[in-house]
């Protein structure tokens, strides 16, 4: 068969939707698509529509539990925000138009081939995602390194896990977390560093809560500048100053050395480099470390004693990784495990918590600029030769690829002419966003492959390729504990969407012909064929899965690697024999000294700005941001600030402030919080220009990267903060489940000095627009907004206008239901009206208020406050009223049912009980 015939046959297989019979109601086992916990889910489908999701009780990652995000996944399957067909434009000045897949791919092939032939293979690049499946990742990697001949393929895992990877490799020899979730049940000391596990990995936190309840003697130490929900469970909270982790870990090792708490026999038998490390940590006395970190000597000594006693399990995430010294932070923590022998046994070991659902799988197939398949290193000539033989290509290029920050710098400079972005949103997630947006604007060609059309990167795409997403995809993923799970489709791909691997294979086959290649590298009729080739690439490697197959995953359930040929199961823990993945078989201590953050506060920028996650949102919110109830806990972007700092600057709760540094600025509301320390402020990383006037907090973050891992410092920068006087105010609410309408409203955010636009409620919910301005905006702008929301003058509304005072109240009433509200000038009743809107029915009380010169809610009326329990819609005020009657946590759970479903709100319930309860939990 000729290559042309092979191409035609495979294309027909890829593009023709097989005829399928969909039973009226069925269940499909799969996984959650959010964090790296890797929870198993059971998806319920009626016909072709996903209608429900629940936790899989047989999956060992979660045993049936799901968090607020996972338990609402079925609500994200509506098609409003989905990309359903390819789009293309030939000029940046044109709007994209719908085209066929053939037209889109042929155009991209022509452009890529021309650039490659004119400027060389390194003039193109691929920026992909830890949310792709392993099979998707594999073909992207092979396309770049095997067919095109460039190592310019990197991933948003560079922003997430690359320092954890580098830390494992420099100390233990391989990117292989040695512990597992079961170790939570066996540990005596859980050491959590740089992770708000309660928010970022809620199901792991549920397991921690259970372990603590079953073993009250278990000690929990949390290292975090903020007093997060995770820190509030701790027996010892080490609230270190931002970026001082290496000093702390060296200080703990100093105490252990001084107190004789180390396992010297383990050090002699299984490690190298301890003498050099001992010299380094000699100066890190408790006094010195206390001064650097801003904590007490007593707490340093206590943490060292608990850690060394063991068995100790450490868990860590972005607080260590997203730093210009992330590799050293990871390695300094691993040093503690090696020096105390706390590794390779139940309840012990360094355990990095993966941020994305398949960042681990991407690393397994070498889907980063410095890696190759099967945990091979690009810089190793023997490894390159092994992969070249596997793929049947003459060579794999030796020139290092561009990592994420380098890649977009090269796009901006013109060194990279074309970039293909898949399943990620760099226009929101990268640091120094203004620089990244300039790069995207400068690119000769931007290809965006995504399931959603609502991301910040969408506007920069010259070619848009619609992809399948959760519930539709097929393949495998690997979670934090090295567990591979089979992902099965529960519903067909909508519209003309394709699986990511399908689109890549089709493109690669066309490019082979265009470049005159004689070999056919991409003869993949299905994902299993790809998996089997990936499996072969692991033979003899530390992650050997040659004994694993789709059949085993389908019949025996999820399995951990390594899973070698002939094995009956994978290995729960690594290094149980004390043999590591270094040439000499020994682990190597890394000697690191404390160095500060990239940006340091000064007189002009006195505040540490920290970032992190919200409980109910995910990344750039392309998925969670279309579910109203996931906004009920936090409806709008705010900056959290210590009450003393607010008082010194005469800030009040809800004031609008400008936060800025040399890279950019944000205009947001400020809110008092006891979670942050003085001179520190916190803002979640999720909010972007889709939800606020501004690019989001990453616009302020430095592009500086770790010299080993090339991971940028996304957790910290230095800023100044000043109050703004914006007297004109408006709040708009409108029942709406039309994503296109919401998108049109969001285009108006830039028209105001301050604006936020989110959702609220349950089911279809409502869109919430809040805006402030230095003066009344042009009447035409308000008229445009009214027209968009069907709230123009001829609509059925209760209206009160006072032009002299600048007050306007419009209440839209349809079929005796309140479906819209627009307040201008006075917005004191906004939260009350939000609850009225949620209930819907027009009352006489509301009618009287709407037609009178009143700004505050009627007497006795108030809002419910924020929703604490999203699953069961229990509000803060309801909880507070119950606490006033003497309730404890069990009473709250029995009476209001809060905290009895997914459990994500339990830490907050405990805090409320502790602060306001008459009976302590």
């Amino acid at each position: 068969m000729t290559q042309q015939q092979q191409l035609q046959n495979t294309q027909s297989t890829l593009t023709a939707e097989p005829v399928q019979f969909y039973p009226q109601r069925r269940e499909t086992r799969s996984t959650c698509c959010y964090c790296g916990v890797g929870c198993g889910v059971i998806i319920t489908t009626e016909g072709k529509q996903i209608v429900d999701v629940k936790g899989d009780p047989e999956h060992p990652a979660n045993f049936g539990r799901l968090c607020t995000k996972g338990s609402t996944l079925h609500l994200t399957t509506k098609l409003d925000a989905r990309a359903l067909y390819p789009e293309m434009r030939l000029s940046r000045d044109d709007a994209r138009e719908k085209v066929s897949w053939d037209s889109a791919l042929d155009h991209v092939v022509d452009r890529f081939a021309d650039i490659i032939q004119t400027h060389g293979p390194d003039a193109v690049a691929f920026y992909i995602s830890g949310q792709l499946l392993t099979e998707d990742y594999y073909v992207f990697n092979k396309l770049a390194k095997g067919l095109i001949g460039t190592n310019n393929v990197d991933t948003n895992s560079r922003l997430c896990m690359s320092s954890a990877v580098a830390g494992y490799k420099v100390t233990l020899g391989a990117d292989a977390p040695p512990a597992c979730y079961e170790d939570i049940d066996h540990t005596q000391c859980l050491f959590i560093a740089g992770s708000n596990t309660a928010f970022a990995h809620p199901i792991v936190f549920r397991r921690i809560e259970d372990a603590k309840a079953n073993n009250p003697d278990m000690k929990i130490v949390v290292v975090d500048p903020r007093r997060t929900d995770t820190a509030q469970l701790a027996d010892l909270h080490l609230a270190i100053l931002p970026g001082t982790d290496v000093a702390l870990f060296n200080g703990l090792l100093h105490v252990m050395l001084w107190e004789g708490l180390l396992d010297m026999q383990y050090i002699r038998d299984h490690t190298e480099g301890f003498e050099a490390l001992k010299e380094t940590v000699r100066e890190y006395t408790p006094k010195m470390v206390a001064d650097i970190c801003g904590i007490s000597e007593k707490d340093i000594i206590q943490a060292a004693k608990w850690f060394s006693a063991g068995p100790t399990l450490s868990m860590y995430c972005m607080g260590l990784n997203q730093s210009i010294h992330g590799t050293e932070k990871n390695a300094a923590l691993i040093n503690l495990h090696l020096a105390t022998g706390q590794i390779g046994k139940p309840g012990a070991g360094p355990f990095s918590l993966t941020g994305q659902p398949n960042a681990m799988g991407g690393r397994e197939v070498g889907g980063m600029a410095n890696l190759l398949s099967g945990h091979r290193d690009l810089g190793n000539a023997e490894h390159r030769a092994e992969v070249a033989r596997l793929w049947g290509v003459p060579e794999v290029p030796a020139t290092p690829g561009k990592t994420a920050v380098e890649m977009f710098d090269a796009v901006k400079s013109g060194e990279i002419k074309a970039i293909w972005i898949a399943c990620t949103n760099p226009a929101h997630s990268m640091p120094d966003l203004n620089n990244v947006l300039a790069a995207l604007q400068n690119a000769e060609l931007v290809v965006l492959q995504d399931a959603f059309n609502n991301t910040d990167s969408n506007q920069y795409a010259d070619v848009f390729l619609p992809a399948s997403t959760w519930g539709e995809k097929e393949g495998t993923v690997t979670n934090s504990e090295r567990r591979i799970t089979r992902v099965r489709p529960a519903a067909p791909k909508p519209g003309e969407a394709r699986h990511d691997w399908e689109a890549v294979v089709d493109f690669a086959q066309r490019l082979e012909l265009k470049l005159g290649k004689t070999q056919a590298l991409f003869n993949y009729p299905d994902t299993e064929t790809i998996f089997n080739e990936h499996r072969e690439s692991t033979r003899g490697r530390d992650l050997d899965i040659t004994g694993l197959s789709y059949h085993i995953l389908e019949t025996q359930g999820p399995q951990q690697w390594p899973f070698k040929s002939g094995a009956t199961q994978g290995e729960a823990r690594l290094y149980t024999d004390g043999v590591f993945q270094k040439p000499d078989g020994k682990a190597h201590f890394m000697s690191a000294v404390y160095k500060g953050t990239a940006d340091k506060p000064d007189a002009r920028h006195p505040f540490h700005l920290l970032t992190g996650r919200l409980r109910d949102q995910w990344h750039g919110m392309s998925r969670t941001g279309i579910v109203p109830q996931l906004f009920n806990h936090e409806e709008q972007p705010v900056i959290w600030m210590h009450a003393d700092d607010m008082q010194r600057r005469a800030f009040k709760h809800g004031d609008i402030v400008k936060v800025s540094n040399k890279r950019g600025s944000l205009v947001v509301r400020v809110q008092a919080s006891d979670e942050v320390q003085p001179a520190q402020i916190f803002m979640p990383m999720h909010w972007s220009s889709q939800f606020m006037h501004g690019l989001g907090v990453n616009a302020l973050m430095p592009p500086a990267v770790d010299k080993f891992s090339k991971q940028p410092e996304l957790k910290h920068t230095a800023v100044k903060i000043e109050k703004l006087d914006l007297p004109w105010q408006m709040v708009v609410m409108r029942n709406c489940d039309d994503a296109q309408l919401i998108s049109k409203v969001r285009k108006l955010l830039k028209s105001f000095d301050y604006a936020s636009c989110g959702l609220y409620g349950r089911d279809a919910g409502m869109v919430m627009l809040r805006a402030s301005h230095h003066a009344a905006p042009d009447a035409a702008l308000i008229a445009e907004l009214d027209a968009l929301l069907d709230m123009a003058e001829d609509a059925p509304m209760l209206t009160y206008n006072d032009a002299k005072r600048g007050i306007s109240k419009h209440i839209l009433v349809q079929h005796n239901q309140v479906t819209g509200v627009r307040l201008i000038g006075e917005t004191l009743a906004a939260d009350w009206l939000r609850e009225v809107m949620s209930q819907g029915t027009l009352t006489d009380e509301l009618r009287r208020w709407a037609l009178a010169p009143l700004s505050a809610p009627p007497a006795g009326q108030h809002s419910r406050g924020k929703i604490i329990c999203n699953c069961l819609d229990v509000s803060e005020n309801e909880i507070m009223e119950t606490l006033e009657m003497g309730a404890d946590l069990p009473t709250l759970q029995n009476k209001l049912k809060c905290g009895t479903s997914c459990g994500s709100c339990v830490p907050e319930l405990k805090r409320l009980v502790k602060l306001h309860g008459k009976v302590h939990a």
Side-chain angles (χ1 to χ4, degrees):
M1 182 182 295
T2 67
Q3 187 180 23
Q4 180 67 46
Q5 289 171 324
Q6 288 178 333
L7 172 58
Q8 291 172 344
N9 288 347
T10 306
Q11 283 176 353
S12 64
T13 301
L14 296 179
T15 57
E17 184 70 36
V19 177
Q20 297 185 39
F21 172 71
Y22 293 96
Q24 183 61 26
R25 190 174 181 90
R26 67 191 185 283
E27 292 186 338
T28 305
R29 278 188 158 84
S30 189
T31 60
C32 177
C33 60
Y34 290 124
C35 74
V37 175
C39 294
V41 298
I42 298 176
I43 305 170
T44 300
T45 313
E46 290 184 354
K48 298 181 180 181
Q49 180 64 42
I50 293 173
V51 296
D52 194 22
V53 64
K54 60 184 178 183
D56 184 350
E58 296 180 12
H59 198 291
N62 59 316
F63 297 109
R65 284 173 160 168
L66 290 178
C67 71
T68 54
K69 297 183 291 291
S71 61
T72 55
L73 265 170
H74 60 294
L75 301 179
T76 71
T77 60
K78 55 187 178 182
L79 300 183
D80 300 42
R82 289 294 300 276
L84 299 176
Y85 48 81
E87 296 178 346
M88 188 172 73
R89 64 184 175 196
L90 299 180
S91 168
R92 285 284 163 83
D93 296 328
D94 298 333
R96 292 197 308 264
E97 296 182 353
K98 178 180 178 180
V99 296
S100 68
W101 270 96
D102 284 339
S103 296
L105 291 180
D106 284 344
H107 174 72
V108 179
V109 165
D110 288 344
R111 294 293 304 277
F112 264 63
D114 179 64
I115 291 169
I116 291 166
Q117 291 166 344
T118 304
H119 302 283
D122 288 335
V124 300
F126 299 86
Y127 186 62
I128 55 179
S129 168
Q131 292 159 73
L132 294 170
L133 304 190
T134 301
E135 292 79 359
D136 301 325
Y137 247 121
Y138 187 89
V139 292
F140 263 115
N141 194 44
K142 188 175 182 181
L143 166 63
K145 297 170 183 174
L147 173 59
I148 295 175
T150 180
N151 290 311
N152 287 342
V153 54
D154 211 44
T155 164
N156 59 12
S157 294
R158 182 71 59 187
L159 315 181
C160 170
M161 297 303 299
S162 52
S163 288
V165 173
Y168 279 136
K169 291 172 72 172
V170 74
T171 55
L172 309 182
D175 173 20
C180 60
Y181 297 147
E182 185 186 0
D183 287 318
I184 298 171
D185 305 326
H186 298 289
T187 192
Q188 283 298 115
C189 176
L190 181 62
F191 191 89
I192 302 174
S195 168
N196 185 9
T197 319
F199 278 20
H201 300 92
I203 299 307
V204 167
F205 197 71
R206 302 284 84 74
R207 194 156 184 168
I208 293 170
E209 290 172 325
D210 290 346
K212 180 67 172 176
N214 293 332
N215 178 18
D217 293 333
M218 180 180 80
K219 303 302 181 184
I220 299 178
V221 180
V222 173
V223 182
D224 198 309
R226 292 194 300 133
R227 184 167 172 75
T228 62
D229 277 13
T230 304
Q232 292 179 52
L233 181 68
D235 297 285
L236 178 61
H237 174 209
L238 301 176
I240 62 172
L241 293 173
T244 60
D245 308 79
V246 169
L248 173 66
F249 301 152
N250 282 353
L252 297 180
L253 188 57
H254 175 102
V255 172
M256 295 172 187
L257 184 64
W258 185 263
E259 298 281 347
L261 302 176
L262 301 183
D263 188 335
M264 299 307 299
Q265 188 64 46
Y266 191 91
I267 292 171
R268 285 189 291 269
D269 293 346
H270 302 293
T271 72
E272 290 287 350
F274 183 69
E275 290 303 313
L277 177 60
K278 186 165 67 172
E279 286 302 310
T280 297
V281 303
R282 188 184 302 276
E283 64 180 287
Y284 285 84
T285 64
K287 174 66 170 65
M288 173 185 172
V289 173
D291 290 342
I292 292 173
C293 296
I295 56 178
S296 74
E297 295 181 53
K298 177 183 175 183
D299 286 347
I300 294 168
I301 294 169
Q302 182 64 78
K305 290 181 176 180
W306 283 348
F307 192 110
S308 59
T312 297
L313 178 69
S314 64
M315 290 181 164
Y316 47 98
C317 199
M318 298 309 144
L320 298 194
N321 296 343
Q322 290 179 332
S323 163
I324 57 168
H325 308 300
T327 301
E328 292 167 315
K329 290 180 180 182
N330 276 262
L333 179 54
I334 295 171
N335 286 344
L336 298 178
H337 285 275
L338 295 174
T340 57
Q342 302 289 353
I343 189 170
K345 59 186 181 183
F351 192 5
S352 60
L353 296 176
T354 310
Q356 295 188 89
N358 199 35
M360 183 82 76
R363 286 137 55 190
E364 292 164 6
V365 303
M368 298 178 82
N370 59 315
L371 303 178
L372 290 171
S373 295
H375 281 181
R376 292 176 177 85
D377 286 322
L378 181 66
N380 186 311
E382 184 178 337
H383 287 182
R384 293 198 304 273
E386 290 171 358
V387 173
R389 285 194 296 271
L390 174 71
W391 286 346
V393 297
E395 62 180 2
V396 171
T399 304
K402 301 289 188 187
T403 58
V405 171
E406 298 168 336
M407 183 178 289
F408 285 94
D409 285 345
V411 172
K412 183 181 180 182
S413 71
E415 181 182 351
I416 290 175
K417 312 290 183 183
I419 184 167
W420 185 316
I421 300 166
C423 199
T424 187
N425 184 21
H428 167 248
S429 59
M430 291 287 291
D432 194 10
L433 277 177
N434 284 295
N435 187 63
V436 172
L437 300 190
L440 290 170
Q441 191 66 44
N442 188 59
E444 292 185 13
L445 177 68
V446 176
V447 180
L448 180 60
Q449 183 172 333
D450 206 314
F452 295 93
N453 61 17
N454 60 353
T455 71
D456 305 85
S457 301
N458 180 37
Q459 63 181 299
Y460 299 96
D462 300 302
V463 179
F464 194 111
L465 304 177
S468 59
T469 186
W470 177 84
E472 303 154 9
K473 294 174 73 69
E474 180 177 11
T476 56
V477 294
T478 310
N479 74 353
S480 292
E481 61 171 352
R482 297 172 281 105
R483 190 177 298 277
I484 300 172
T485 301
R486 181 85 163 87
V487 174
R488 304 171 181 85
K493 298 168 290 186
E496 298 175 26
R498 288 188 180 181
H499 298 312
D500 291 283
W501 70 271
E502 285 181 316
V504 174
V505 166
D506 195 347
F507 171 80
Q509 292 173 339
R510 294 169 193 253
L511 188 61
E512 282 177 330
L513 291 176
K514 190 71 176 181
L515 295 178
K517 303 286 186 178
T518 57
Q519 75 274 46
L521 301 180
F522 294 86
N523 188 21
Y524 300 124
D526 52 38
T527 58
E528 187 170 14
T529 311
I530 303 169
F531 177 86
N532 290 343
E533 185 174 311
H534 156 55
R535 178 180 64 191
E536 184 56 34
S537 78
T538 70
R539 186 176 297 277
R541 305 292 300 167
D542 67 290
L543 71 163
D544 192 324
I545 56 168
T546 49
L548 201 56
S549 66
Y550 268 22
H551 177 71
I552 289 175
L553 292 173
E554 288 165 355
T555 57
Q556 299 180 32
Q559 303 293 327
Q560 290 173 281
W561 60 254
F563 196 112
K564 299 179 182 179
S565 181
T568 57
Q569 63 181 33
E571 296 182 29
R573 297 174 185 86
L574 306 181
Y575 314 126
T576 55
D577 56 0
V579 178
F580 294 89
Q581 293 293 322
K582 292 284 191 178
D584 58 5
K586 292 188 174 184
H588 289 198
F589 288 102
M590 180 183 187
S591 184
V593 298
Y594 161 67
K595 296 180 285 290
T597 53
D599 285 350
K600 298 172 178 60
D602 55 30
R604 292 190 61 204
H605 302 94
F607 281 93
H608 297 273
L609 171 57
L610 310 177
T611 71
R613 298 180 182 272
L614 291 174
R615 189 190 74 187
D616 299 343
Q617 297 292 353
W618 169 253
H619 281 199
M621 298 162 62
S622 58
R623 187 187 304 275
T624 55
I626 63 177
V627 181
Q629 75 183 66
L630 294 181
F631 287 80
N632 292 351
H633 190 242
E634 299 292 347
E635 178 240 305
Q636 59 179 316
V638 297
I639 286 278
W640 278 270
M641 191 178 207
H642 194 277
D644 291 348
D645 286 326
M646 290 184 64
Q647 184 178 25
R648 277 192 289 270
R649 284 159 179 78
F651 293 170
K652 299 190 300 295
H653 182 91
D655 278 351
I656 296 173
V657 297
K658 180 180 179 181
V659 182
S660 61
N661 61 15
K662 62 184 178 181
R663 285 175 289 273
S665 63
L666 301 171
V667 178
V668 294
R669 295 190 184 277
V670 65
Q671 182 173 303
S673 173
D674 60 0
E675 289 190 4
V676 293
Q677 299 184 60
Q680 298 175 17
I681 57 177
F682 173 82
M683 182 173 176
M685 48 77 74
H686 309 286
W687 307 108
S688 72
S689 60
Q690 301 295 307
F691 304 94
M692 63 184 294
H693 178 185
L695 298 177
V697 72
N698 285 346
L700 309 182
M701 293 296 148
V705 300
D706 180 286
K707 66 180 180 180
F708 301 103
S709 68
K710 305 298 183 182
Q711 181 161 357
E713 185 156 281
L714 281 166
K715 294 291 289 185
H716 174 272
T717 188
V719 297
K720 62 180 178 181
I721 183 167
E722 53 194 312
K723 182 178 178 180
L724 298 184
D725 182 19
L726 301 177
W728 184 89
Q729 298 184 61
M730 177 178 71
V731 175
V732 178
M733 314 171 206
R734 182 70 166 92
N735 285 357
C736 177
D737 60 356
D738 182 348
Q740 298 308 313
L741 177 57
I742 294 171
S743 178
K744 292 176 182 177
V745 172
R746 286 173 174 163
K747 289 179 180 178
L748 302 179
L749 293 176
K750 295 180 180 179
S751 304
F752 305 98
D753 295 328
Y754 162 82
S756 71
C757 184
L759 305 176
Y760 187 79
R762 302 182 78 81
D763 301 321
M766 69 186 80
V767 60
M768 293 283 305
L769 172 65
R770 300 175 186 267
S772 295
H773 208 56
H774 65 275
D778 193 302
L781 177 62
I782 305 303
E784 179 184 358
L785 177 62
D786 286 347
L788 280 175
L789 297 174
D790 293 327
M791 292 180 65
E793 292 296 331
D794 58 347
M797 288 189 296
L798 302 175
T799 302
Y800 175 87
N801 291 308
D802 184 341
K804 186 176 181 180
R805 296 170 60 203
I807 295 174
S808 173
K809 297 191 286 189
H810 286 193
I811 311 294
L812 182 65
V813 181
Q814 296 171 305
H815 308 295
N816 206 42
Q817 297 289 303
V818 180
T819 59
V821 171
R822 173 167 66 70
L823 302 180
I824 290 177
E826 291 286 2
T827 59
L828 292 176
D831 289 347
W832 166 64
L833 287 168
R834 189 178 63 181
E835 303 307 330
V836 171
M837 281 271 295
S838 297
Q839 297 166 12
T841 304
L842 175 65
T843 64
D844 290 338
E845 189 171 55
L846 175 60
R847 188 188 303 273
R848 287 191 294 270
W849 179 89
L851 298 175
L854 302 172
S855 56
Q861 301 296 315
H862 55 80
S863 73
R864 299 174 67 205
K866 74 175 182 178
I867 303 302
I868 302 298
C869 177
N870 236 335
C871 296
L872 298 169
D873 196 32
V874 183
S875 72
E876 184 173 29
N877 286 347
E878 291 168 314
I879 293 166
M880 296 291 286
E881 289 168 2
T882 309
L883 289 175
E884 281 294 313
M885 294 186 288
D888 57 7
L889 179 60
T891 303
L892 285 177
Q893 292 176 311
N894 288 330
K895 184 174 181 179
L896 302 179
K897 304 303 179 186
C898 50
T900 61
S901 184
C902 79
S904 296
C905 64
V906 169
E908 192 164 2
L909 293 175
K910 289 180 178 178
R911 183 170 74 248
L912 291 173
V913 170
K914 184 175 181 180
L915 291 173
H916 305 288
K918 296 181 179 179
V919 180
H920 291 292

